[in-house]
Amino acid sequence: MADDITQAIVYLSGAQITRARKFRLKEGINKITFKDLPEDMNGQSITASSDGRCVVLSVSHTVVNAGAGNKRISGLYAKREELSDMLKMERNMFNVLTEEENLIRKNAQTPDGRVFRSEDMKNAVLFFRERMASLCNEKFASQKKIEKLTYELSEIESQIGMDDRNKRRSQVDIEVHSDSDSESELTISYFIRNAGWIPYYDVRVKDIVSPLSLSSKASVYQNTGEDWNNISMVLSTGNPSLSGNLPDLRPWYLDFYEPYVSNARMKQSFQAAPLAKVSADSLKECVAEDCKAPIEADRFAASTAESVASVEYTLPVPYTILSSENGKAVDILTHELKAEYQYICVRKLEKDVFLVADVKDWAHLNLLAGSANIFFEDKYVGEITIDPRRAEEGLRISLGRDKNVIVTRVRGKDHTAEPMLGQSTKASREWTLTAKNLRKQKIDIIVEDQIPVSVNKAITVDAAAVSGAEHDRDTGKLTWKFSLDPAASKTMQVKYTVTYPKNKTVILE
């Protein structure tokens, strides 16, 4: 009875389900049973309460075989038998029509030596035409009915197969004491694992002088075997599936590493392979999601409640989440945030210029890592990942490429000198970078380039021209930060000289 579900607190993994039913109680001790509950509910998490008309004495949980006692399963089996009989009858009818058609065709053949009179021939042809036309129509209708019955039967078989896999169901028995004959509402709550939600975002920017709109959303899923129809829903950032045990930090002992070598391998002079290393990239978390939902009005925003361990968003309207549905798009909150917009270009690696929004006041938003759909000037420009765990003072959000801001990088004349008596070669490289603003607003832009860094004492690098860029000599990174008025441009020069032994080869670009 999924209709008695009143609320679901959906965690990032798992959900707390609350359901209520009314019962007629007699004076004294009563045994109340909640039947047909999901098999994989956590029995240890069950709590029960009453509306005050009775006292809960005990709660027990068992898993039973639903079997024929389940009205839904019994109805499916009865429907399958009915459809199967109808399909057999229709196939029999189709076979009868086919035999009649064959008989008519056989009798229409002229026996050897027999000649039909014209009148007989005319009647025969007329009968053949009318009856064959009728037979063809009847066979066509019968074939369509067979196809329809076959499809309906396969659907029933599929549902029976699903129910057979979920035949085992949970049952909660509650003992209550009532002072009088009355009707009372009992409520149970329990945790179930096959549910959760995935956070994602919509980021909308009207233009580079307007606030940034950040809409927090969720893709809610559940595979509990029963539909949640029109229920109150709370989204929680907690995860009860994680262990609550405090880790114990034990001593870390160091010793010399001596790889183990078996006797057989020692005889063959084989050395044991070193232990494999696990890369950090293999441990990164990822969120999958492809749900896009329009921004709704603020009156549909969820209310927020924070606790020590999690944040809860109570959704303002009831929702229906079907079992096995591939994620239901749910709006949580929309924030209008002040952002500083700037353009960034690494022209050596990418010819396009990227617009970036730096959001300073973001820590109170309780953001989770997730994908974000980016909309700039009312156009969808792509998808990025927002990960607040990597944010520092500000949250940087890439708004995609902007063709209205252009940065070019033109190579100058190379020069290489090899002294007649010297042992070193001097080679110089130079580039001219030009940034141009085609927008109607003034913009802030960062242009990055680099000068190579030597890791060999025999190689020296001299920066001949950097046009006032910030030069990080440890990494060779060059950074220009400046503003551009509409239709304005700025030119930057990069030139460096590399000195190295003339009998060696150095890659200079």
mmCIF file of all heavy atoms in Angstrom, residues 198-199 281-289 369-371 385 387 389-390:
data_model
loop_
_atom_site.group_PDB
_atom_site.id
_atom_site.type_symbol
_atom_site.label_atom_id
_atom_site.label_comp_id
_atom_site.label_asym_id
_atom_site.label_seq_id
_atom_site.Cartn_x
_atom_site.Cartn_y
_atom_site.Cartn_z
ATOM 1 N N ILE A 198 21.015 13.248 -6.611
ATOM 2 C CA ILE A 198 22.278 13.736 -7.176
ATOM 3 C C ILE A 198 22.152 15.240 -7.386
ATOM 4 O O ILE A 198 21.241 15.693 -8.078
ATOM 5 C CB ILE A 198 22.587 13.042 -8.515
ATOM 6 C CG1 ILE A 198 22.717 11.535 -8.304
ATOM 7 C CG2 ILE A 198 23.854 13.607 -9.137
ATOM 8 C CD1 ILE A 198 22.813 10.760 -9.600
ATOM 9 N N PRO A 199 23.024 16.034 -6.772
ATOM 10 C CA PRO A 199 22.934 17.487 -6.946
ATOM 11 C C PRO A 199 23.460 17.925 -8.301
ATOM 12 O O PRO A 199 24.395 17.340 -8.850
ATOM 13 C CB PRO A 199 23.817 18.026 -5.813
ATOM 14 C CG PRO A 199 24.808 16.936 -5.566
ATOM 15 C CD PRO A 199 24.108 15.649 -5.844
ATOM 16 N N ASP A 281 43.931 10.192 -9.322
ATOM 17 C CA ASP A 281 42.814 10.356 -10.258
ATOM 18 C C ASP A 281 41.823 9.208 -10.148
ATOM 19 O O ASP A 281 40.641 9.371 -10.396
ATOM 20 C CB ASP A 281 43.332 10.437 -11.691
ATOM 21 C CG ASP A 281 44.072 11.738 -11.947
ATOM 22 O OD1 ASP A 281 43.851 12.693 -11.168
ATOM 23 O OD2 ASP A 281 44.867 11.792 -12.890
ATOM 24 N N SER A 282 42.332 7.991 -9.773
ATOM 25 C CA SER A 282 41.426 6.849 -9.691
ATOM 26 C C SER A 282 40.492 6.936 -8.511
ATOM 27 O O SER A 282 39.563 6.150 -8.384
ATOM 28 C CB SER A 282 42.229 5.554 -9.601
ATOM 29 O OG SER A 282 42.948 5.513 -8.381
ATOM 30 N N LEU A 283 40.768 7.868 -7.583
ATOM 31 C CA LEU A 283 39.927 7.998 -6.403
ATOM 32 C C LEU A 283 38.980 9.173 -6.480
ATOM 33 O O LEU A 283 38.284 9.476 -5.531
ATOM 34 C CB LEU A 283 40.827 8.145 -5.152
ATOM 35 C CG LEU A 283 41.811 7.002 -4.916
ATOM 36 C CD1 LEU A 283 42.659 7.300 -3.687
ATOM 37 C CD2 LEU A 283 41.091 5.683 -4.747
ATOM 38 N N LYS A 284 38.966 9.882 -7.624
ATOM 39 C CA LYS A 284 38.096 11.056 -7.731
ATOM 40 C C LYS A 284 36.645 10.638 -7.820
ATOM 41 O O LYS A 284 36.304 9.629 -8.420
ATOM 42 C CB LYS A 284 38.468 11.868 -8.973
ATOM 43 C CG LYS A 284 39.831 12.561 -8.856
ATOM 44 C CD LYS A 284 40.106 13.383 -10.099
ATOM 45 C CE LYS A 284 41.454 14.099 -9.996
ATOM 46 N NZ LYS A 284 41.741 14.860 -11.218
ATOM 47 N N GLU A 285 35.802 11.431 -7.207
ATOM 48 C CA GLU A 285 34.363 11.189 -7.278
ATOM 49 C C GLU A 285 33.820 11.821 -8.553
ATOM 50 O O GLU A 285 34.345 12.811 -9.052
ATOM 51 C CB GLU A 285 33.650 11.798 -6.079
ATOM 52 C CG GLU A 285 34.060 11.177 -4.756
ATOM 53 C CD GLU A 285 33.323 11.813 -3.590
ATOM 54 O OE1 GLU A 285 32.470 12.681 -3.850
ATOM 55 O OE2 GLU A 285 33.581 11.433 -2.471
ATOM 56 N N CYS A 286 32.740 11.223 -9.093
ATOM 57 C CA CYS A 286 32.089 11.789 -10.270
ATOM 58 C C CYS A 286 30.596 11.741 -10.103
ATOM 59 O O CYS A 286 30.096 10.899 -9.383
ATOM 60 C CB CYS A 286 32.512 11.050 -11.540
ATOM 61 S SG CYS A 286 31.988 9.332 -11.562
ATOM 62 N N VAL A 287 29.861 12.660 -10.769
ATOM 63 C CA VAL A 287 28.399 12.713 -10.686
ATOM 64 C C VAL A 287 27.840 12.637 -12.129
ATOM 65 O O VAL A 287 28.232 13.440 -12.947
ATOM 66 C CB VAL A 287 27.922 14.000 -10.011
ATOM 67 C CG1 VAL A 287 26.391 14.070 -10.031
ATOM 68 C CG2 VAL A 287 28.396 14.062 -8.569
ATOM 69 N N ALA A 288 27.142 11.800 -12.271
ATOM 70 C CA ALA A 288 26.502 11.699 -13.514
ATOM 71 C C ALA A 288 25.249 12.400 -13.609
ATOM 72 O O ALA A 288 24.546 12.409 -12.745
ATOM 73 C CB ALA A 288 26.011 10.207 -13.653
ATOM 74 N N GLU A 289 24.843 13.174 -14.651
ATOM 75 C CA GLU A 289 23.612 13.700 -14.713
ATOM 76 C C GLU A 289 23.181 14.419 -15.873
ATOM 77 O O GLU A 289 23.908 15.169 -16.322
ATOM 78 C CB GLU A 289 23.590 14.727 -13.888
ATOM 79 C CG GLU A 289 23.351 14.854 -14.478
ATOM 80 C CD GLU A 289 23.294 15.940 -14.916
ATOM 81 O OE1 GLU A 289 22.326 16.128 -14.820
ATOM 82 O OE2 GLU A 289 22.782 15.251 -14.799
ATOM 83 N N ALA A 369 29.430 19.020 -4.584
ATOM 84 C CA ALA A 369 30.036 18.829 -5.904
ATOM 85 C C ALA A 369 28.993 18.288 -6.876
ATOM 86 O O ALA A 369 28.219 17.391 -6.543
ATOM 87 C CB ALA A 369 31.218 17.865 -5.796
ATOM 88 N N GLY A 370 28.955 18.866 -8.062
ATOM 89 C CA GLY A 370 27.991 18.411 -9.060
ATOM 90 C C GLY A 370 28.182 19.117 -10.379
ATOM 91 O O GLY A 370 28.940 20.084 -10.498
ATOM 92 N N SER A 371 27.505 18.622 -11.404
ATOM 93 C CA SER A 371 27.580 19.245 -12.723
ATOM 94 C C SER A 371 26.727 20.501 -12.757
ATOM 95 O O SER A 371 25.798 20.657 -11.961
ATOM 96 C CB SER A 371 27.116 18.261 -13.802
ATOM 97 O OG SER A 371 25.757 17.916 -13.601
ATOM 98 N N THR A 385 31.793 21.357 -14.122
ATOM 99 C CA THR A 385 31.661 20.754 -12.799
ATOM 100 C C THR A 385 31.963 21.799 -11.740
ATOM 101 O O THR A 385 32.985 22.490 -11.815
ATOM 102 C CB THR A 385 32.617 19.562 -12.636
ATOM 103 O OG1 THR A 385 32.270 18.559 -13.592
ATOM 104 C CG2 THR A 385 32.511 18.973 -11.240
ATOM 105 N N ASP A 387 32.861 22.200 -7.896
ATOM 106 C CA ASP A 387 33.360 21.432 -6.753
ATOM 107 C C ASP A 387 33.819 22.402 -5.673
ATOM 108 O O ASP A 387 34.947 22.907 -5.717
ATOM 109 C CB ASP A 387 34.509 20.522 -7.177
ATOM 110 C CG ASP A 387 34.871 19.506 -6.093
ATOM 111 O OD1 ASP A 387 34.375 19.662 -4.955
ATOM 112 O OD2 ASP A 387 35.620 18.564 -6.372
ATOM 113 N N ARG A 389 34.806 21.906 -2.813
ATOM 114 C CA ARG A 389 35.937 21.409 -2.016
ATOM 115 C C ARG A 389 37.264 21.949 -2.531
ATOM 116 O O ARG A 389 38.253 21.985 -1.799
ATOM 117 C CB ARG A 389 35.950 19.875 -2.052
ATOM 118 C CG ARG A 389 34.725 19.233 -1.405
ATOM 119 C CD ARG A 389 34.651 17.756 -1.718
ATOM 120 N NE ARG A 389 34.539 17.513 -3.151
ATOM 121 C CZ ARG A 389 34.383 16.300 -3.686
ATOM 122 N NH1 ARG A 389 34.319 15.247 -2.895
ATOM 123 N NH2 ARG A 389 34.281 16.155 -4.989
ATOM 124 N N ARG A 390 37.297 22.363 -3.797
ATOM 125 C CA ARG A 390 38.527 22.880 -4.384
ATOM 126 C C ARG A 390 38.557 24.401 -4.413
ATOM 127 O O ARG A 390 39.529 24.994 -4.870
ATOM 128 C CB ARG A 390 38.688 22.340 -5.809
ATOM 129 C CG ARG A 390 38.797 20.817 -5.859
ATOM 130 C CD ARG A 390 39.022 20.334 -7.270
ATOM 131 N NE ARG A 390 39.151 18.891 -7.331
ATOM 132 C CZ ARG A 390 39.386 18.195 -8.435
ATOM 133 N NH1 ARG A 390 39.514 18.841 -9.584
ATOM 134 N NH2 ARG A 390 39.485 16.885 -8.414
#
